[in-house]
Amino acid sequence: MKTGILINARLGSKRLPDKHLQSIGKGTALAHLIIRLVPLAANRKDIRIFIATGSEQENAPLQAIAQAAGIELFYGDADNIPLRHHQLVQRFGLAAIVSVDGDDLLSSPTACQAIIDALENGAPLARTEGLPFGMNAWGYTAKTLAEAINSLSTNTMLETGWGRIFSQFTPTVITYSISNSDAVRATLDYPEDLEFFRAVFTKCPTDILKDDRALTAWIYAEGIYKLSSSRHEEYWNNFTQEKAKEDRQLNENYSKRLHAVIPGGAHTYSRGDDQYPANAPAILERGKGAYSWSPAGEKFLDYGMALRAVNIGYAEPCINEAAIRQIEKGNNLTRASTIELEAAELLVSLIDSVDMVKFTKNGSTATSAAVKLARAYTGRDLIARCAQHPFFSYDDWFIGSTAIPKGIPRNIIEQTKSFNYNDIVSLEKLIAEYPDQFACVIMEPVSLECPISPGNPQAQGFGDLKAKYPKGSTNFLKEVEVLCKKHGIIFILDEMITGFRWGLKGAQEFFGLDPDISTFGKAMANGFSVAGVAGKRDIMKLGSTDTPGTERVFLLSTTHGAEMSGLGAFVETVKFMQREKVIEHFWDYGQKIVALMETCALEAGIGNHFKMIGTAIIPAFVFLDESNTASLPLRTLFLQELIKAGILMPWISFTYRHGEAELALTRQGVLKAMEVVKKALTDGVDRYLAGPAVKPVFRRFN
Ligand SMILES: Cc1ncc(COP(=O)(O)O)c(C=O)c1O
């Protein structure tokens, strides 16, 4: 494999001017590094060493060093280092690169060789860890570099580091375990570092210089490690403070820009700043599998998963490809498309209660369409909504029944009434109070509570739910269905969250329900914008046009409602779920994470202040303060500490791509975060919170 060892060097350093030309013993700093690396190319015609520098004139003195060492000095792009490497790769026809920082004069040839071996064995990207700072090596193939460059803008490449540039690739990591490697900082950054390297290169025996373990031990034993700039507390303090300040500034700038042009700073209130702790990334750039990344390259294990819209994983290749196939077919045609028919037939065949479906882009339009159908079918106006279910639609019929009714006419507000989950009497009373006036009952099958049933009288969401709801048994939901039938009320089951999670046929199948209308959305197309109102033919056909003479109902009609990319993604998501054991995985992961959170709470000693609620499939968590009341400040602190551990958990939504590695990561972060919560319970939460506590979405005032 034609490989280049690229020593990145420039002469413009402000902290240590002309650092590569500084003398160390008999040679220059850079010459010492080259001498260390030369043996790697000695018996290999396919390995060449280069100095890669920027095109500025100030770098010309490097030529003498290159010439003396018999290696090539390559002038590439002045600022854009990935591009500079790409230019070099193209010029010399390289297949792989080992990238060495010219400041790292003790770069390990053994580590470089390990990288070459890994790349030759097919790794797209490889790095070592465990050696002292400045001795590890890393590299990547030309293909990896080309793909990364093609996917990024020049600005992004200029603004961010290598980690971000290659973040879509999984590196092969070669780990060394060397005592005292933490104590050694071997990089030429400040004048003190020069003293460190002078001591190493002039005093260290040659055989020790060649052996990373012996070298580290020697530097430590001789006390030479104390010479480098890392020993200066001020340096590290400044470094970390400066970095934190920069990150905060970047985040604040994004937040300001978002709020300047978008009311609420995001297109969903639950994505807003007031839903997250102060250290949360204000903005994200991309996601892959179970992770998302901020523009600064911070990686987060994601439990928000696009407000539960992603259930397989971000950017799942086969689903993206299915969407792209439809994009290439035009994405939105003049008449109904073949994928529109395929998607509709698929949904109808999948959900037993459904004869017809109309697709749309958002859940809200689907639920509003369901309500309209119910009103048209029954000729009645009133809507009964379940009070414990937090969201059905952004439309007035629903928002008018929340704490934020401003802007909604009184008569519309008065048309939506509430009943309580697991309280059939509350619904019966409502129906009795407004006889023959309710068009529909709308509810989710399950949110934080399960339906009361003979097998589950406490409405518990954990344990063996299948055993608690045997086929054919009754439960609260079934009672609602029967009550609706009795009073000629349309039973709308909103499966926006439960659909494609509880089971492929939804939670309705699990609980033996036969709703008149169902609504789906969120996870049905793994993040693509697809939702649908679906139901019994005699109701749905009100929106039809093929029965001459009947009065029409203007059901959903949107330009983008049947956008082909989304529907292609929906069909592929279903196929994926049928092919892989996705639903089984959800139940398994859910049970594991519930147990994990509860165990961590016990281990951290806050068992009395923490509670898992909901169900294994859609679990939720609550922190309780000293008075046993749900505490948003404690919750915020937990979220804040999790973010420090690289975990974004506004709620718990997991995907097929959340696996054992993610559980292990979660355990580490959760335990640490809970330990801080424990301290806050004694010392007061304000001492630990870096910003305001999160607020409920539905509150009247900002
Ligand atoms: C149960 C339920 N129904 C409907 C909706 C509305 O969906 P959308 O945000 O796609 O409009 C949501 C959104 O959170 C929901 O949770």
Side-chain angles (χ1 to χ4, degrees):
M1 196 176 204
K2 223 171 156 190
T3 302
I5 298 174
L6 267 59
I7 302 173
N8 303 293
R10 295 176 64 169
L11 289 176
S13 169
K14 289 196 181 70
R15 286 194 288 254
L16 184 54
D18 288 345
K19 59 171 135 178
H20 302 299
L21 308 179
Q22 296 288 330
S23 67
I24 294 179
K26 289 189 188 127
T28 58
L30 195 57
H32 281 283
L33 172 60
I34 298 170
I35 289 165
R36 269 178 86 69
L37 300 177
V38 159
L40 285 167
N43 299 317
R44 293 271 308 254
K45 283 212 171 71
D46 56 343
I47 297 180
R48 270 183 81 173
I49 301 176
F50 300 85
I51 300 174
T53 194
S55 54
E56 308 96 317
Q57 189 53 37
E58 65 186 10
N59 295 317
L62 293 172
Q63 183 62 44
I65 300 177
Q67 214 163 359
I71 63 174
E72 188 92 23
L73 173 68
F74 178 80
Y75 293 99
D77 194 277
D79 303 310
N80 188 332
I81 298 177
L83 187 60
R84 190 189 301 166
H85 284 195
H86 188 58
Q87 291 161 341
L88 194 151
V89 161
Q90 292 200 309
R91 161 100 175 270
F92 294 96
L94 300 178
I97 275 183
V98 178
S99 179
V100 175
D101 193 325
D103 300 347
D104 297 345
L105 308 188
L106 290 178
S107 284
S108 158
T110 316
C112 290
Q113 186 59 55
I115 297 301
I116 295 170
D117 294 344
L119 298 176
E120 283 177 352
N121 283 328
L125 176 69
R127 66 176 167 84
T128 67
E129 62 180 26
L131 291 170
F133 187 90
M135 285 172 67
N136 281 298
W138 74 287
Y140 48 87
T141 62
K143 185 166 170 280
T144 302
L145 179 64
E147 279 177 34
I149 286 184
N150 283 340
S151 69
L152 296 171
S153 68
T154 306
N155 271 354
T156 311
M157 278 194 279
L158 286 173
E159 280 167 13
T160 55
W162 284 107
R164 157 81 184 78
I165 286 165
F166 285 141
S167 57
Q168 79 225 58
F169 300 94
T170 307
T172 294
V173 181
I174 302 139
T175 307
Y176 298 95
S177 167
I178 293 191
S179 308
N180 298 317
S181 57
D182 286 356
V184 179
R185 184 176 184 276
T187 196
L188 186 54
D189 211 356
Y190 285 83
E192 303 87 294
D193 298 316
L194 207 49
E195 295 314 311
F196 166 83
F197 283 115
R198 281 185 177 136
V200 173
F201 284 114
T202 56
K203 292 185 186 153
C204 186
T206 320
D207 54 335
I208 290 184
L209 261 177
K210 288 182 186 155
D211 179 334
D212 298 331
R213 194 174 298 276
L215 178 59
T216 310
W218 180 85
I219 291 172
Y220 190 71
E222 297 292 314
I224 288 169
Y225 71 100
K226 292 180 189 160
L227 296 176
S228 81
S229 56
S230 67
R231 293 301 108 200
H232 295 243
E233 217 171 287
E234 200 188 343
Y235 164 79
W236 280 118
N237 284 349
N238 284 345
F239 180 80
T240 23
Q241 275 171 20
E242 281 297 312
K243 175 89 180 58
K245 212 165 105 191
E246 268 173 35
D247 288 353
R248 255 198 324 271
Q249 195 57 52
L250 201 69
N251 222 17
E252 277 168 21
N253 288 348
Y254 272 122
S255 180
K256 270 194 201 131
R257 281 170 62 190
L258 283 166
H259 282 277
V261 290
I262 306 169
H267 282 84
T268 328
Y269 282 112
S270 56
R271 285 184 164 108
D273 288 346
D274 54 4
Q275 302 302 300
Y276 285 86
N279 66 338
I283 197 164
L284 292 169
E285 191 175 59
R286 61 187 202 87
K288 177 77 187 161
Y291 297 88
S292 50
W293 282 262
S294 74
E298 299 158 292
K299 180 179 178 183
F300 298 97
L301 172 57
D302 195 332
Y303 280 101
M305 296 314 296
L307 321 186
R308 306 186 190 279
V310 173
N311 66 344
I312 306 298
Y314 288 122
E316 184 64 34
C318 68
I319 298 173
N320 280 1
E321 280 157 22
I324 289 165
R325 280 199 296 278
Q326 295 301 326
I327 289 174
E328 280 166 357
K329 286 182 180 178
N331 201 34
N332 203 345
L333 305 179
T334 306
R335 299 209 63 195
S337 64
T338 47
I339 190 71
E340 201 169 325
L341 176 61
E342 188 183 343
E345 286 180 345
L346 176 64
L347 190 93
V348 167
S349 70
L350 209 57
I351 313 291
D352 297 341
S353 68
V354 163
D355 302 316
M356 297 179 94
V357 56
K358 202 136 203 206
F359 291 116
T360 176
K361 306 301 294 175
N362 302 301
S364 290
T365 48
T367 49
S368 293
V371 165
K372 184 174 199 180
L373 273 171
R375 283 172 160 164
Y377 188 82
T378 58
R380 302 170 180 174
D381 289 340
L382 297 192
I383 299 161
R385 66 156 282 215
C386 180
Q388 284 71 29
H389 295 167
F391 195 74
F392 292 113
S393 175
Y394 56 63
D395 273 324
D396 290 356
W397 68 265
F398 172 71
I399 299 299
S401 71
T402 70
I404 323 176
K406 198 170 165 72
I408 302 173
R410 183 168 296 280
N411 65 325
I412 293 194
I413 294 174
E414 283 165 1
Q415 285 173 351
T416 299
K417 313 285 181 195
S418 298
F419 66 95
N420 293 322
Y421 193 79
N422 274 336
D423 181 359
I424 197 72
V425 176
S426 71
L427 184 58
E428 283 168 347
K429 273 193 184 153
L430 211 53
I431 294 171
E433 198 179 335
Y434 301 95
D436 300 328
Q437 292 183 58
F438 278 104
C440 61
V441 162
I442 182 164
M443 66 191 305
E444 295 182 76
V446 177
S447 181
L448 296 178
E449 264 181 272
C450 273
I452 288 173
S453 77
N456 193 5
Q458 301 302 322
Q460 286 277 322
F462 302 122
D464 186 355
L465 289 185
K466 278 209 170 104
K468 289 180 182 170
Y469 299 97
K471 288 251 169 296
S473 66
T474 190
N475 57 58
F476 166 71
L477 295 169
K478 201 74 205 162
E479 286 174 356
V480 173
E481 186 184 307
V482 170
L483 198 61
C484 284
K485 283 222 161 66
K486 183 174 158 197
H487 293 278
I489 297 168
I490 301 300
F491 178 33
I492 303 172
L493 199 65
D494 185 2
E495 292 238 44
M496 212 64 64
I497 292 178
T498 52
F500 302 91
R501 278 195 198 270
W502 271 74
L504 252 179
K505 287 173 176 288
Q508 54 189 268
E509 203 237 356
F510 194 97
F511 294 110
L513 304 175
D514 186 28
D516 299 309
I517 303 179
S518 305
T519 50
F520 295 98
K522 297 270 187 198
M524 65 192 290
N526 196 41
F528 284 84
S529 172
V530 180
V533 56
K536 304 277 181 219
R537 185 174 306 282
D538 59 334
I539 305 173
M540 293 296 294
K541 78 175 183 209
L542 291 181
S544 299
T545 52
D546 54 356
T547 39
T550 50
E551 187 180 355
R552 295 185 55 201
V553 172
F554 198 85
L555 186 52
L556 281 176
S557 175
T558 60
T559 304
H560 295 293
E563 190 183 24
M564 294 156 68
S565 46
L567 294 177
F570 162 60
V571 171
E572 192 61 33
T573 302
V574 172
K575 282 187 191 157
F576 190 103
M577 295 181 78
Q578 286 167 331
R579 200 169 56 234
E580 310 288 337
K581 294 190 166 150
V582 176
I583 298 288
E584 286 90 330
H585 176 77
F586 287 162
W587 284 101
D588 179 57
Y589 196 93
Q591 266 149 15
K592 284 180 176 158
I593 198 159
V594 168
L596 178 158
M597 303 275 287
E598 284 174 341
T599 312
C600 285
L602 289 176
E603 280 178 33
I606 57 164
N608 292 337
H609 295 277
F610 180 78
K611 204 163 66 173
M612 288 304 290
I613 54 173
T615 56
I617 200 97
I618 301 164
F621 57 89
V622 181
F623 283 88
L624 303 166
D625 62 17
E626 292 302 348
S627 62
N628 216 25
T629 311
S631 163
L632 288 179
L634 287 177
R635 183 186 183 88
T636 313
L637 179 62
F638 178 67
L639 303 187
Q640 170 188 300
E641 296 306 304
L642 280 184
I643 285 168
K644 289 181 189 166
I647 301 171
L648 209 52
M649 195 188 267
W651 48 81
I652 302 180
S653 184
F654 42 80
T655 68
Y656 187 64
R657 293 297 173 208
H658 285 72
E660 291 302 319
E662 285 66 38
L663 275 175
L665 212 69
T666 308
R667 193 188 139 72
Q668 268 179 21
V670 165
L671 187 58
K672 260 195 182 163
M674 286 186 172
E675 281 163 0
V676 179
V677 172
K678 177 169 167 79
K679 286 192 206 157
L681 278 161
T682 334
D683 305 342
V685 66
D686 291 348
R687 242 182 94 174
Y688 296 91
L689 261 187
V694 299
K695 299 186 180 112
V697 166
F698 284 106
R699 60 183 196 280
R700 185 141 192 188
F701 298 102
N702 277 322

PDB file of all heavy atoms in Angstrom, residues 88-104:
ATOM      1  N   LEU A  88      -1.446  16.396  -1.556  1.00  0.00           N
ATOM      2  CA  LEU A  88      -0.236  15.571  -1.545  1.00  0.00           C
ATOM      3  C   LEU A  88      -0.542  14.138  -2.002  1.00  0.00           C
ATOM      4  O   LEU A  88       0.179  13.550  -2.809  1.00  0.00           O
ATOM      5  CB  LEU A  88       0.358  15.591  -0.135  1.00  0.00           C
ATOM      6  CG  LEU A  88       1.789  15.072   0.004  1.00  0.00           C
ATOM      7  CD1 LEU A  88       2.482  15.762   1.172  1.00  0.00           C
ATOM      8  CD2 LEU A  88       1.862  13.580   0.225  1.00  0.00           C
ATOM      9  N   VAL A  89      -1.667  13.630  -1.497  1.00  0.00           N
ATOM     10  CA  VAL A  89      -2.090  12.272  -1.862  1.00  0.00           C
ATOM     11  C   VAL A  89      -2.235  12.161  -3.375  1.00  0.00           C
ATOM     12  O   VAL A  89      -1.778  11.202  -4.003  1.00  0.00           O
ATOM     13  CB  VAL A  89      -3.438  11.951  -1.157  1.00  0.00           C
ATOM     14  CG1 VAL A  89      -4.146  10.789  -1.826  1.00  0.00           C
ATOM     15  CG2 VAL A  89      -3.212  11.639   0.310  1.00  0.00           C
ATOM     16  N   GLN A  90      -2.858  13.181  -3.961  1.00  0.00           N
ATOM     17  CA  GLN A  90      -3.101  13.132  -5.410  1.00  0.00           C
ATOM     18  C   GLN A  90      -1.805  13.253  -6.198  1.00  0.00           C
ATOM     19  O   GLN A  90      -1.577  12.540  -7.158  1.00  0.00           O
ATOM     20  CB  GLN A  90      -4.073  14.237  -5.778  1.00  0.00           C
ATOM     21  CG  GLN A  90      -5.454  13.951  -5.187  1.00  0.00           C
ATOM     22  CD  GLN A  90      -6.538  14.716  -5.874  1.00  0.00           C
ATOM     23  OE1 GLN A  90      -6.422  15.924  -6.013  1.00  0.00           O
ATOM     24  NE2 GLN A  90      -7.576  14.027  -6.289  1.00  0.00           N
ATOM     25  N   ARG A  91      -0.975  14.156  -5.723  1.00  0.00           N
ATOM     26  CA  ARG A  91       0.271  14.394  -6.447  1.00  0.00           C
ATOM     27  C   ARG A  91       1.152  13.143  -6.469  1.00  0.00           C
ATOM     28  O   ARG A  91       1.771  12.818  -7.473  1.00  0.00           O
ATOM     29  CB  ARG A  91       0.968  15.576  -5.775  1.00  0.00           C
ATOM     30  CG  ARG A  91       2.402  15.724  -6.043  1.00  0.00           C
ATOM     31  CD  ARG A  91       2.681  16.795  -7.134  1.00  0.00           C
ATOM     32  NE  ARG A  91       4.105  16.969  -7.254  1.00  0.00           N
ATOM     33  CZ  ARG A  91       4.787  17.841  -6.542  1.00  0.00           C
ATOM     34  NH1 ARG A  91       4.155  18.642  -5.715  1.00  0.00           N
ATOM     35  NH2 ARG A  91       6.097  17.927  -6.682  1.00  0.00           N
ATOM     36  N   PHE A  92       1.191  12.416  -5.348  1.00  0.00           N
ATOM     37  CA  PHE A  92       2.102  11.270  -5.268  1.00  0.00           C
ATOM     38  C   PHE A  92       1.376   9.920  -5.364  1.00  0.00           C
ATOM     39  O   PHE A  92       1.977   8.877  -5.167  1.00  0.00           O
ATOM     40  CB  PHE A  92       2.921  11.347  -3.968  1.00  0.00           C
ATOM     41  CG  PHE A  92       3.859  12.524  -3.958  1.00  0.00           C
ATOM     42  CD1 PHE A  92       3.483  13.711  -3.354  1.00  0.00           C
ATOM     43  CD2 PHE A  92       5.088  12.455  -4.596  1.00  0.00           C
ATOM     44  CE1 PHE A  92       4.328  14.812  -3.360  1.00  0.00           C
ATOM     45  CE2 PHE A  92       5.943  13.554  -4.608  1.00  0.00           C
ATOM     46  CZ  PHE A  92       5.562  14.741  -3.990  1.00  0.00           C
ATOM     47  N   GLY A  93       0.104   9.965  -5.648  1.00  0.00           N
ATOM     48  CA  GLY A  93      -0.662   8.722  -5.836  1.00  0.00           C
ATOM     49  C   GLY A  93      -0.655   7.829  -4.603  1.00  0.00           C
ATOM     50  O   GLY A  93      -0.509   6.613  -4.700  1.00  0.00           O
ATOM     51  N   LEU A  94      -0.804   8.436  -3.404  1.00  0.00           N
ATOM     52  CA  LEU A  94      -0.754   7.647  -2.164  1.00  0.00           C
ATOM     53  C   LEU A  94      -2.092   6.970  -1.887  1.00  0.00           C
ATOM     54  O   LEU A  94      -3.147   7.471  -2.263  1.00  0.00           O
ATOM     55  CB  LEU A  94      -0.413   8.557  -0.977  1.00  0.00           C
ATOM     56  CG  LEU A  94       0.921   9.304  -1.032  1.00  0.00           C
ATOM     57  CD1 LEU A  94       1.063  10.191   0.200  1.00  0.00           C
ATOM     58  CD2 LEU A  94       2.086   8.328  -1.129  1.00  0.00           C
ATOM     59  N   ALA A  95      -2.026   5.833  -1.206  1.00  0.00           N
ATOM     60  CA  ALA A  95      -3.260   5.148  -0.798  1.00  0.00           C
ATOM     61  C   ALA A  95      -3.533   5.343   0.683  1.00  0.00           C
ATOM     62  O   ALA A  95      -4.644   5.112   1.150  1.00  0.00           O
ATOM     63  CB  ALA A  95      -3.150   3.664  -1.111  1.00  0.00           C
ATOM     64  N   ALA A  96      -2.506   5.729   1.434  1.00  0.00           N
ATOM     65  CA  ALA A  96      -2.702   5.896   2.888  1.00  0.00           C
ATOM     66  C   ALA A  96      -1.730   6.927   3.436  1.00  0.00           C
ATOM     67  O   ALA A  96      -0.680   7.201   2.829  1.00  0.00           O
ATOM     68  CB  ALA A  96      -2.487   4.563   3.600  1.00  0.00           C
ATOM     69  N   ILE A  97      -2.127   7.466   4.559  1.00  0.00           N
ATOM     70  CA  ILE A  97      -1.306   8.501   5.196  1.00  0.00           C
ATOM     71  C   ILE A  97      -1.166   8.215   6.682  1.00  0.00           C
ATOM     72  O   ILE A  97      -2.146   7.858   7.346  1.00  0.00           O
ATOM     73  CB  ILE A  97      -1.990   9.881   5.001  1.00  0.00           C
ATOM     74  CG1 ILE A  97      -1.583  10.452   3.647  1.00  0.00           C
ATOM     75  CG2 ILE A  97      -1.643  10.847   6.116  1.00  0.00           C
ATOM     76  CD1 ILE A  97      -2.133  11.813   3.402  1.00  0.00           C
ATOM     77  N   VAL A  98       0.061   8.361   7.186  1.00  0.00           N
ATOM     78  CA  VAL A  98       0.247   8.427   8.638  1.00  0.00           C
ATOM     79  C   VAL A  98       0.561   9.894   8.900  1.00  0.00           C
ATOM     80  O   VAL A  98       1.482  10.451   8.302  1.00  0.00           O
ATOM     81  CB  VAL A  98       1.407   7.528   9.114  1.00  0.00           C
ATOM     82  CG1 VAL A  98       1.600   7.667  10.615  1.00  0.00           C
ATOM     83  CG2 VAL A  98       1.135   6.089   8.739  1.00  0.00           C
ATOM     84  N   SER A  99      -0.249  10.517   9.730  1.00  0.00           N
ATOM     85  CA  SER A  99      -0.104  11.955   9.930  1.00  0.00           C
ATOM     86  C   SER A  99       0.655  12.211  11.229  1.00  0.00           C
ATOM     87  O   SER A  99       0.224  11.805  12.302  1.00  0.00           O
ATOM     88  CB  SER A  99      -1.501  12.582   9.996  1.00  0.00           C
ATOM     89  OG  SER A  99      -1.382  13.961  10.207  1.00  0.00           O
ATOM     90  N   VAL A 100       1.788  12.879  11.104  1.00  0.00           N
ATOM     91  CA  VAL A 100       2.621  13.128  12.288  1.00  0.00           C
ATOM     92  C   VAL A 100       2.718  14.637  12.491  1.00  0.00           C
ATOM     93  O   VAL A 100       2.994  15.375  11.547  1.00  0.00           O
ATOM     94  CB  VAL A 100       4.040  12.525  12.090  1.00  0.00           C
ATOM     95  CG1 VAL A 100       4.938  12.879  13.268  1.00  0.00           C
ATOM     96  CG2 VAL A 100       3.954  11.024  11.901  1.00  0.00           C
ATOM     97  N   ASP A 101       2.496  15.069  13.725  1.00  0.00           N
ATOM     98  CA  ASP A 101       2.614  16.486  14.015  1.00  0.00           C
ATOM     99  C   ASP A 101       4.094  16.827  14.165  1.00  0.00           C
ATOM    100  O   ASP A 101       4.803  16.171  14.942  1.00  0.00           O
ATOM    101  CB  ASP A 101       1.847  16.776  15.323  1.00  0.00           C
ATOM    102  CG  ASP A 101       1.647  18.261  15.517  1.00  0.00           C
ATOM    103  OD1 ASP A 101       2.551  19.029  15.127  1.00  0.00           O
ATOM    104  OD2 ASP A 101       0.594  18.647  16.053  1.00  0.00           O
ATOM    105  N   GLY A 102       4.556  17.815  13.434  1.00  0.00           N
ATOM    106  CA  GLY A 102       5.971  18.190  13.476  1.00  0.00           C
ATOM    107  C   GLY A 102       6.439  18.609  14.862  1.00  0.00           C
ATOM    108  O   GLY A 102       7.643  18.641  15.135  1.00  0.00           O
ATOM    109  N   ASP A 103       5.503  18.927  15.750  1.00  0.00           N
ATOM    110  CA  ASP A 103       5.873  19.313  17.129  1.00  0.00           C
ATOM    111  C   ASP A 103       6.184  18.089  17.990  1.00  0.00           C
ATOM    112  O   ASP A 103       6.792  18.205  19.048  1.00  0.00           O
ATOM    113  CB  ASP A 103       4.710  20.038  17.832  1.00  0.00           C
ATOM    114  CG  ASP A 103       4.291  21.292  17.110  1.00  0.00           C
ATOM    115  OD1 ASP A 103       5.055  21.730  16.228  1.00  0.00           O
ATOM    116  OD2 ASP A 103       3.217  21.821  17.437  1.00  0.00           O
ATOM    117  N   ASP A 104       5.700  16.926  17.536  1.00  0.00           N
ATOM    118  CA  ASP A 104       5.806  15.722  18.365  1.00  0.00           C
ATOM    119  C   ASP A 104       7.121  15.000  18.067  1.00  0.00           C
ATOM    120  O   ASP A 104       7.152  13.981  17.369  1.00  0.00           O
ATOM    121  CB  ASP A 104       4.601  14.802  18.121  1.00  0.00           C
ATOM    122  CG  ASP A 104       3.295  15.460  18.528  1.00  0.00           C
ATOM    123  OD1 ASP A 104       3.353  16.487  19.249  1.00  0.00           O
ATOM    124  OD2 ASP A 104       2.223  14.963  18.125  1.00  0.00           O
TER     125      ASP A 104
END
